[in-house]
Amino acid sequence: MDHNELNTRFAIPDQLEFIEGKGHLPVAIITNRHAKAIVSLYGAQVLSFVPDGQRDLLWLSPQSLFESGKAIRGGIPVCFPWFGPHAGDPKKPVHGFARLLTWKVTESLALKNGNTRLMLGLASTAETLALWPFAFAATLIVEVGEKLDVTLCYTNTGSETFMASNALHSYFSISHIANIALSGLKDCFYYAGFEKEANNQQHENTLKIVREENRRYINHMADCVITDPAWHRSIRVEKKGSRVTVVWNPYSETVKTMADISATGYRDFVCVEAVNAYIDFAELNPGESHCISTTISLV
Ligand code: TA6
């Protein structure tokens, strides 16, 4: 369906319209009295969330590709049905295929409280079954209000039990990586880098990022807050349905290996991700569903 057909079926006057975005990929533009947001149907990826009168809370790389088969760098990528490299086959796409496929619009709704809701769907096809041999139906629900609420739900529609991992891999826009402090992770154990054991424990109240970090915190359900004094703001990151939080920044060396982030781009974002993986897979019997959500707001 192109953006004209999408508008015929799902546009909401003065609140929601579809346009052809970069790389000819369709995007939904949501504007209401609380905020403005942009959602790419390719990847079901929220690209921008700007509360009224504020800066964007999400970061989108100016060097991002917008190209079928390539992930968009920034916003909230949906990782599914695996998180990170595929365990058995490194040739399969990192973070699964959900961020590399165009999702269908299934519903749009103007809510009484002024919020706008957009629902996107993705179901298994011959293409996905070739990468992951299980039948599923996934939904991404984006609700734009004073807060941004993003929920991924998926159901096992096949006849075999499956184990999936997934993430809402949010990139937050910050004034400078040196300026921010991240709270909400004190006392949690984490895997550092690609270590196999979560032997490290954070003793500090806040995390300052001064080098490459890829911390995968386990048994973490609390809110995180990114304090950014230079921009006079703090971003609260809440989540549900997840016991793993990943904090990632490639920093100045690894960023040089990434074609879609500039050499200094690592300064402009931090990822705080709601994850199901490692100690927290979703094991679903036929007919069962799992949901994970993240809620993002200014404190
Ligand atoms: O969540 C952290 C992470 O898995 C890192 O290891 C890093 O590779 C990042 O995600 C980005 O992955 P991507 O495939 O989008 O380049």
Side-chain angles (χ1 to χ4, degrees), residues 70-87:
K70 299 277 164 54
I72 299 173
R73 176 71 64 192
I76 311 182
V78 175
C79 307
F80 172 83
W82 59 87
F83 177 71
H86 186 276

Side-chain angles (χ1 to χ4, degrees), residues 109-166:
L109 214 59
L111 302 177
K112 285 208 178 86
N113 59 4
N115 291 3
T116 313
R117 189 181 294 158
L118 175 67
M119 291 172 62
L120 306 176
L122 182 75
S124 43
T125 59
E127 189 187 356
T128 69
L129 290 167
L131 289 165
W132 192 63
F134 300 102
F136 71 90
T139 305
L140 192 90
I141 307 162
V142 179
E143 187 168 323
V144 178
E146 252 176 66
K147 298 182 175 189
L148 171 71
D149 200 73
V150 179
T151 302
L152 168 71
C153 290
Y154 49 92
T155 301
N156 180 344
T157 54
S159 52
E160 281 172 70
T161 299
F162 68 60
M163 292 255 278
S165 57
N166 57 266

